[in-house]
Protein backbone atom coordinates (compact mmCIF):
# COMPACT_ATOMS: atom_id res chain seq x y z
CA UNK A 1 0.00 0.00 0.00
CA UNK A 2 1.28 3.53 -0.74
CA UNK A 3 0.25 7.01 0.23
CA UNK A 4 0.47 9.68 -2.44
CA UNK A 5 2.26 12.95 -1.85
CA UNK A 6 1.52 14.26 -5.29
CA UNK A 7 0.71 17.90 -5.80
CA UNK A 8 1.12 20.38 -8.60
CA UNK A 9 2.91 23.56 -7.58
CA UNK A 10 1.95 26.90 -9.03
CA UNK A 11 3.35 30.39 -8.43
CA UNK A 12 0.38 31.57 -6.37
CA UNK A 13 0.32 28.60 -4.01
CA UNK A 14 4.10 28.60 -3.68
CA UNK A 15 4.05 32.33 -2.83
CA UNK A 16 1.42 31.64 -0.17
CA UNK A 17 3.57 28.85 1.22
CA UNK A 18 6.65 31.08 1.30
CA UNK A 19 4.74 33.85 3.08
CA UNK A 20 3.46 31.38 5.69
CA UNK A 21 6.98 29.99 6.14
CA UNK A 22 8.41 33.47 6.76
CA UNK A 23 5.63 34.12 9.29
CA UNK A 24 6.36 30.82 11.02
CA UNK A 25 10.07 31.66 11.18
CA UNK A 26 9.30 35.01 12.79
CA UNK A 27 7.06 33.43 15.43
CA UNK A 28 9.54 30.63 16.14
CA UNK A 29 12.35 33.17 16.48
CA UNK A 30 10.50 35.01 19.23
CA UNK A 31 9.37 31.89 21.09
CA UNK A 32 12.77 30.15 20.98
CA UNK A 33 14.26 32.94 23.10
CA UNK A 34 11.46 32.65 25.65
CA UNK A 35 11.73 28.85 25.77
CA UNK A 36 15.50 28.88 26.31
CA UNK A 37 15.24 31.37 29.16
CA UNK A 38 12.49 29.31 30.77
CA UNK A 39 14.52 26.07 30.80
CA UNK A 40 17.21 27.80 32.87
CA UNK A 41 14.67 28.58 35.60
CA UNK A 42 13.73 24.96 36.40
CA UNK A 43 15.47 21.99 37.95
CA UNK A 44 17.76 19.98 35.67
CA UNK A 45 16.32 16.56 34.79
CA UNK A 46 17.75 13.42 33.22
CA UNK A 47 17.81 13.17 29.43
CA UNK A 48 14.36 12.70 27.90
CA UNK A 49 12.51 13.01 31.20
CA UNK A 50 8.97 14.35 30.68
CA UNK A 51 9.20 15.85 34.19
CA UNK A 52 10.92 18.88 32.72
CA UNK A 53 7.60 19.72 31.05
CA UNK A 54 5.80 19.60 34.41
CA UNK A 55 8.30 22.10 35.78
CA UNK A 56 8.21 24.31 32.70
CA UNK A 57 4.42 24.56 32.59
CA UNK A 58 4.61 26.48 35.86
CA UNK A 59 6.69 29.17 34.14
CA UNK A 60 4.40 31.88 32.64
CA UNK A 61 7.02 32.85 30.07
CA UNK A 62 7.20 29.26 28.86
CA UNK A 63 3.40 29.05 28.63
CA UNK A 64 3.33 32.15 26.43
CA UNK A 65 6.10 30.66 24.30
CA UNK A 66 4.08 27.47 23.83
CA UNK A 67 1.10 29.45 22.56
CA UNK A 68 3.44 31.13 20.10
CA UNK A 69 4.90 27.78 19.10
CA UNK A 70 1.41 26.48 18.30
CA UNK A 71 0.80 29.53 16.10
CA UNK A 72 4.14 28.98 14.39
CA UNK A 73 3.37 25.31 13.87
CA UNK A 74 0.02 26.19 12.28
CA UNK A 75 1.79 28.55 9.88
CA UNK A 76 4.33 25.81 9.10
CA UNK A 77 1.49 23.42 8.25
CA UNK A 78 -0.01 26.02 5.91
CA UNK A 79 3.39 26.58 4.31
CA UNK A 80 3.93 22.87 3.73
CA UNK A 81 0.46 22.51 2.27
CA UNK A 82 1.16 25.05 -0.47
CA UNK A 83 4.92 24.85 -1.08
CA UNK A 84 7.47 22.02 -1.46
CA UNK A 85 9.22 20.78 1.67
CA UNK A 86 12.61 21.70 0.18
CA UNK A 87 11.40 25.31 -0.14
CA UNK A 88 9.75 25.72 3.26
CA UNK A 89 12.34 24.20 5.59
CA UNK A 90 15.34 26.30 4.47
CA UNK A 91 13.22 29.42 5.00
CA UNK A 92 12.47 28.32 8.56
CA UNK A 93 16.14 28.73 9.51
CA UNK A 94 15.32 32.42 9.61
CA UNK A 95 13.82 31.86 13.06
CA UNK A 96 17.35 32.23 14.41
CA UNK A 97 17.96 35.26 12.19
CA UNK A 98 14.83 36.97 13.46
CA UNK A 99 15.74 36.16 17.07
CA UNK A 100 19.15 37.83 16.92
CA UNK A 101 17.93 40.81 14.89
CA UNK A 102 15.09 41.50 17.33
CA UNK A 103 17.49 41.22 20.26
CA UNK A 104 19.97 43.57 18.56
CA UNK A 105 17.20 46.10 17.92
CA UNK A 106 16.06 46.01 21.54
CA UNK A 107 19.66 46.50 22.74
CA UNK A 108 20.13 49.31 20.22
CA UNK A 109 23.38 47.66 19.18
CA UNK A 110 24.53 45.55 16.27
CA UNK A 111 27.53 43.21 16.12
CA UNK A 112 29.17 43.46 12.66
CA UNK A 113 30.28 39.82 12.78
CA UNK A 114 26.77 38.71 13.69
CA UNK A 115 25.34 40.79 10.86
CA UNK A 116 27.83 39.13 8.50
CA UNK A 117 26.46 35.79 9.67
CA UNK A 118 22.93 36.98 8.97
CA UNK A 119 23.96 38.06 5.48
CA UNK A 120 25.66 34.71 4.83
CA UNK A 121 22.56 32.81 5.96
CA UNK A 122 20.21 34.93 3.86
CA UNK A 123 22.40 34.66 0.75
CA UNK A 124 22.83 30.92 1.30
CA UNK A 125 19.11 30.22 1.59
CA UNK A 126 18.14 32.54 -1.25
CA UNK A 127 20.90 31.20 -3.47
CA UNK A 128 19.88 27.59 -2.80
CA UNK A 129 16.23 28.25 -3.63
CA UNK A 130 17.08 30.20 -6.78
CA UNK A 131 19.53 27.57 -8.05
CA UNK A 132 17.74 24.41 -6.89
CA UNK A 133 14.21 25.51 -7.84
CA UNK A 134 12.59 22.66 -5.86
CA UNK A 135 9.48 21.17 -7.46
CA UNK A 136 6.39 19.68 -5.85
CA UNK A 137 6.66 15.97 -5.12
CA UNK A 138 4.86 13.50 -7.33
CA UNK A 139 5.98 10.23 -5.70
CA UNK A 140 4.56 7.99 -2.99
CA UNK A 141 5.65 6.76 0.40
CA UNK A 142 5.16 3.02 0.58
CA UNK A 143 4.73 1.00 3.75
CA UNK A 144 8.15 -0.57 3.20
CA UNK A 145 9.74 2.87 2.87
CA UNK A 146 7.94 4.00 6.01
CA UNK A 147 9.29 1.03 7.98
CA UNK A 148 12.85 1.63 6.83
CA UNK A 149 12.47 5.33 7.60
CA UNK A 150 11.28 4.53 11.13
CA UNK A 151 14.17 2.12 11.70
CA UNK A 152 16.69 4.64 10.40
CA UNK A 153 15.26 7.51 12.47
CA UNK A 154 15.17 5.49 15.71
CA UNK A 155 18.71 4.24 15.12
CA UNK A 156 20.02 7.73 14.35
CA UNK A 157 18.41 9.27 17.44
CA UNK A 158 19.64 6.40 19.63
CA UNK A 159 23.21 6.80 18.36
CA UNK A 160 23.11 10.53 19.08
CA UNK A 161 21.89 9.95 22.64
CA UNK A 162 24.39 7.15 23.33
CA UNK A 163 27.28 9.28 22.07
CA UNK A 164 25.97 12.18 24.13
CA UNK A 165 26.03 10.10 27.31
CA UNK A 166 29.77 9.51 26.94
CA UNK A 167 30.62 12.95 28.38
CA UNK A 168 29.03 16.09 29.76
CA UNK A 169 30.44 18.09 26.85
CA UNK A 170 28.87 15.84 24.21
CA UNK A 171 25.54 15.46 26.03
CA UNK A 172 23.88 18.68 24.80
CA UNK A 173 25.39 18.26 21.35
CA UNK A 174 24.06 14.72 21.04
CA UNK A 175 20.61 15.83 22.16
CA UNK A 176 20.75 18.76 19.73
CA UNK A 177 21.51 16.44 16.81
CA UNK A 178 18.74 14.08 17.92
CA UNK A 179 16.39 17.07 18.09
CA UNK A 180 17.34 18.13 14.56
CA UNK A 181 16.63 14.62 13.30
CA UNK A 182 13.20 14.60 14.97
CA UNK A 183 12.35 18.06 13.64
CA UNK A 184 13.46 17.22 10.10
CA UNK A 185 11.43 14.01 10.24
CA UNK A 186 8.44 15.89 11.67
CA UNK A 187 8.51 18.38 8.80
CA UNK A 188 8.55 15.48 6.35
CA UNK A 189 5.58 13.87 8.12
CA UNK A 190 3.64 17.16 8.18
CA UNK A 191 4.07 17.39 4.43
CA UNK A 192 2.73 13.85 3.97
CA UNK A 193 -0.19 14.50 6.36
CA UNK A 194 -1.20 17.68 4.53
CA UNK A 195 -1.14 15.78 1.26
CA UNK A 196 -3.26 13.03 2.81
CA UNK A 197 -5.80 15.61 3.97
CA UNK A 198 -5.91 17.25 0.54
CA UNK A 199 -6.54 14.00 -1.31
CA UNK A 200 -8.57 11.94 1.12
CA UNK A 201 -9.94 14.27 3.77
CA UNK A 202 -9.50 14.23 7.53
CA UNK A 203 -10.98 10.76 7.83
CA UNK A 204 -8.32 9.34 5.53
CA UNK A 205 -5.60 11.03 7.61
CA UNK A 206 -6.77 9.17 10.71
CA UNK A 207 -6.53 5.80 8.96
CA UNK A 208 -2.97 6.34 7.67
CA UNK A 209 0.35 6.00 9.48
CA UNK A 210 1.89 9.50 9.01
CA UNK A 211 -0.28 11.29 11.59
CA UNK A 212 0.63 8.73 14.26
CA UNK A 213 4.32 8.84 13.39
CA UNK A 214 4.14 12.64 13.68
CA UNK A 215 2.46 12.29 17.09
CA UNK A 216 5.62 10.48 18.23
CA UNK A 217 8.39 12.35 16.41
CA UNK A 218 7.13 15.84 17.26
CA UNK A 219 6.83 15.47 21.06
CA UNK A 220 10.09 13.49 21.29
CA UNK A 221 11.91 16.26 19.43
CA UNK A 222 10.28 18.89 21.63
CA UNK A 223 11.38 17.20 24.89
CA UNK A 224 14.91 16.67 23.55
CA UNK A 225 15.00 20.33 22.55
CA UNK A 226 14.18 21.45 26.09
CA UNK A 227 16.82 19.08 27.48
CA UNK A 228 19.43 20.29 25.01
CA UNK A 229 18.81 23.94 25.92
CA UNK A 230 18.95 23.16 29.62
CA UNK A 231 22.11 21.05 29.45
CA UNK A 232 24.19 23.29 27.23
CA UNK A 233 26.33 25.73 29.17
CA UNK A 234 27.36 27.15 25.81
CA UNK A 235 24.10 27.32 23.96
CA UNK A 236 25.49 28.37 20.55
CA UNK A 237 26.52 24.89 19.33
CA UNK A 238 23.16 23.48 20.42
CA UNK A 239 21.23 26.13 18.49
CA UNK A 240 23.45 25.81 15.44
CA UNK A 241 23.10 22.01 15.27
CA UNK A 242 19.32 22.06 15.63
CA UNK A 243 18.72 24.90 13.18
CA UNK A 244 21.15 23.57 10.54
CA UNK A 245 20.31 19.86 10.70
CA UNK A 246 16.53 20.34 10.45
CA UNK A 247 16.45 21.73 6.86
CA UNK A 248 19.29 19.50 5.65
CA UNK A 249 17.45 16.37 6.80
CA UNK A 250 14.16 17.68 5.39
CA UNK A 251 15.71 18.35 1.98
CA UNK A 252 17.25 14.87 1.90
CA UNK A 253 13.94 13.21 2.80
CA UNK A 254 12.03 15.33 0.30
CA UNK A 255 14.40 14.31 -2.46
CA UNK A 256 14.60 10.62 -1.50
CA UNK A 257 10.99 9.87 -0.55
CA UNK A 258 8.73 12.67 -1.79
CA UNK A 259 10.29 12.90 -5.24
CA UNK A 260 10.79 16.65 -4.89
CA UNK A 261 13.30 17.43 -7.61
CA UNK A 262 16.04 20.07 -7.61
CA UNK A 263 18.23 21.26 -10.46
CA UNK A 264 20.76 18.50 -11.06
CA UNK A 265 23.26 19.80 -13.60
CA UNK A 266 26.89 19.72 -12.38
CA UNK A 267 26.97 23.52 -12.11
CA UNK A 268 23.65 23.58 -10.23
CA UNK A 269 24.73 20.87 -7.79
CA UNK A 270 27.97 22.73 -7.09
CA UNK A 271 26.03 25.95 -6.54
CA UNK A 272 23.53 24.24 -4.24
CA UNK A 273 26.29 22.73 -2.11
CA UNK A 274 28.09 26.06 -1.86
CA UNK A 275 24.86 27.82 -0.84
CA UNK A 276 24.06 25.20 1.81
CA UNK A 277 27.58 25.50 3.21
CA UNK A 278 27.15 29.28 3.29
CA UNK A 279 23.80 28.86 5.04
CA UNK A 280 25.30 26.57 7.69
CA UNK A 281 28.29 28.88 8.19
CA UNK A 282 25.90 31.79 8.69
CA UNK A 283 23.85 29.77 11.19
CA UNK A 284 26.97 28.92 13.19
CA UNK A 285 28.09 32.55 13.31
CA UNK A 286 24.61 33.81 14.21
CA UNK A 287 24.33 31.22 17.00
CA UNK A 288 27.68 32.29 18.44
CA UNK A 289 26.48 35.88 18.64
CA UNK A 290 22.90 35.20 19.73
CA UNK A 291 21.75 36.79 23.00
CA UNK A 292 21.19 33.33 24.52
CA UNK A 293 24.74 32.23 23.77
CA UNK A 294 26.28 35.48 25.03
CA UNK A 295 24.27 35.31 28.25
CA UNK A 296 25.17 31.65 28.87
CA UNK A 297 28.87 32.29 28.23
CA UNK A 298 28.88 35.31 30.52
CA UNK A 299 27.23 33.26 33.28
CA UNK A 300 29.88 30.56 33.01
CA UNK A 301 32.73 33.06 33.12
CA UNK A 302 31.19 34.74 36.16
CA UNK A 303 30.90 31.40 37.95
Amino acid sequence: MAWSTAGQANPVSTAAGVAAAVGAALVFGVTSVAEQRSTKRVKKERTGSPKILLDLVQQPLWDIAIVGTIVGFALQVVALKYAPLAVVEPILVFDLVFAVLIAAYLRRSADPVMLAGVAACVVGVAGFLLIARPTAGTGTVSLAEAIWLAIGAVAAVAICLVVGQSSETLRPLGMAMATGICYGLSAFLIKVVTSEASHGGFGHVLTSWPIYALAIAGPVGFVLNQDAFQSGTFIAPVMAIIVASDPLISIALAYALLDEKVSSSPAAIAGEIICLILMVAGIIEIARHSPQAIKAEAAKVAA
Side-chain angles (χ1 to χ4, degrees):
M1 185 176 180
W3 291 267
S4 173
T5 59
Q8 296 299 319
N10 63 71
V12 175
S13 63
T14 299
V18 169
V22 172
L26 177 58
V27 174
F28 286 144
V30 174
T31 59
S32 66
V33 177
E35 284 180 18
Q36 192 276 328
R37 291 182 177 180
S38 298
T39 59
K40 295 299 182 181
R41 300 178 180 178
V42 299
K43 180 182 177 182
K44 187 175 180 180
E45 302 291 347
R46 62 181 175 82
T47 303
S49 173
K51 190 176 184 302
I52 189 176
L53 299 181
L54 298 178
D55 296 332
L56 286 170
V57 77
Q58 301 176 48
Q59 298 289 327
L61 181 62
W62 189 82
D63 295 333
I64 294 173
I66 294 307
V67 174
T69 299
I70 294 173
V71 174
F73 177 77
L75 288 170
Q76 182 183 7
V77 171
V78 173
L80 288 171
K81 176 179 175 60
Y82 292 110
L85 180 62
V87 169
V88 172
E89 292 308 298
I91 293 175
L92 290 180
V93 305
F94 288 154
D95 63 352
L96 184 56
V97 172
F98 284 130
V100 297
L101 290 179
I102 291 171
Y105 174 78
L106 293 175
R107 296 195 311 268
R108 296 295 191 273
S109 63
D111 185 327
V113 179
M114 181 270 289
L115 293 178
V118 170
C121 186
V122 172
V123 172
V125 172
F128 172 79
L129 295 178
L130 288 173
I131 296 172
R133 297 183 181 278
T135 63
T138 57
T140 59
V141 180
S142 67
L143 180 59
E145 290 173 329
I147 292 173
W148 281 112
L149 176 62
I151 293 173
V154 171
V157 170
I159 290 172
C160 291
L161 296 181
V162 169
V163 171
Q165 292 302 315
S166 62
S167 73
E168 281 299 312
T169 301
L170 292 178
R171 184 171 183 264
L173 303 183
M175 286 190 294
M177 189 67 231
T179 300
I181 292 171
C182 289
Y183 282 173
L185 176 61
S186 295
F188 165 82
L189 293 170
I190 292 171
K191 182 65 176 178
V192 179
V193 168
T194 57
S195 180
E196 290 288 337
S198 297
H199 290 85
F202 185 70
H204 183 58
V205 169
L206 295 179
T207 60
S208 301
W209 63 270
I211 188 67
Y212 301 104
L214 177 61
I216 296 173
V220 169
F222 183 77
V223 172
L224 289 173
N225 195 352
Q226 308 310 307
D227 283 334
F229 274 148
Q230 187 185 55
S231 301
T233 303
F234 293 98
I235 204 67
V238 169
M239 295 180 67
I241 290 172
I242 293 174
V243 175
S245 61
D246 181 353
L248 294 178
I249 291 170
S250 297
I251 292 170
L253 290 176
Y255 181 84
L257 296 177
L258 299 187
D259 199 30
E260 290 188 7
K261 301 301 184 183
V262 296
S263 300
S264 56
S265 68
I269 292 175
E272 290 159 9
I273 293 174
I274 292 172
C275 288
L276 289 176
I277 292 175
L278 190 60
M279 179 191 77
V280 173
I283 289 171
I284 293 172
E285 199 57 52
I286 294 170
R288 287 181 58 240
H289 291 81
S290 67
Q292 301 98 307
I294 293 173
K295 182 178 179 180
E297 187 169 347
K300 184 175 181 179
V301 172

